[in-house]
Amino acid sequence: MDEFLFKIIACPICTGKLIYSRNRSELFCKKDNMKFPIRENILIFTGDDVVKISRHPEEKD
């Protein structure tokens, strides 16, 4: 995906900022604790691949 898109795209739930994880090919919303995968350069906002998480996976224990 284009780096410019990561600056303007927002969470579909709260319209907040999404955090890009290049090594996981996912975007995260810290406010909603949701992760949105990127498959073949397409951001997935619906379906079984969108998952609620307990915390941001990049945070340390």
Side-chain angles (χ1 to χ4, degrees):
M1 284 186 73
D2 188 338
E3 292 291 326
F4 173 73
L5 293 177
F6 294 129
K7 294 178 183 177
I8 62 170
I9 201 157
C11 175
I13 299 167
C14 71
T15 67
K17 182 178 179 184
L18 293 172
I19 300 164
Y20 175 54
S21 174
R22 183 181 310 268
N23 62 339
R24 294 176 183 263
S25 292
E26 295 174 328
L27 291 171
F28 301 93
C29 176
K30 283 183 132 179
K31 182 176 179 182
D32 296 313
N33 291 323
M34 299 293 291
K35 67 178 184 175
F36 304 95
I38 300 169
R39 302 284 194 279
E40 298 179 18
N41 287 327
I42 299 171
L43 179 57
I44 309 297
F45 276 136
T46 61
D48 294 335
D49 291 330
V50 175
V51 178
K52 180 137 180 107
I53 54 177
S54 59
R55 65 183 177 153
H56 190 278
E58 308 266 323
E59 292 177 0
K60 304 285 186 221
D61 289 330

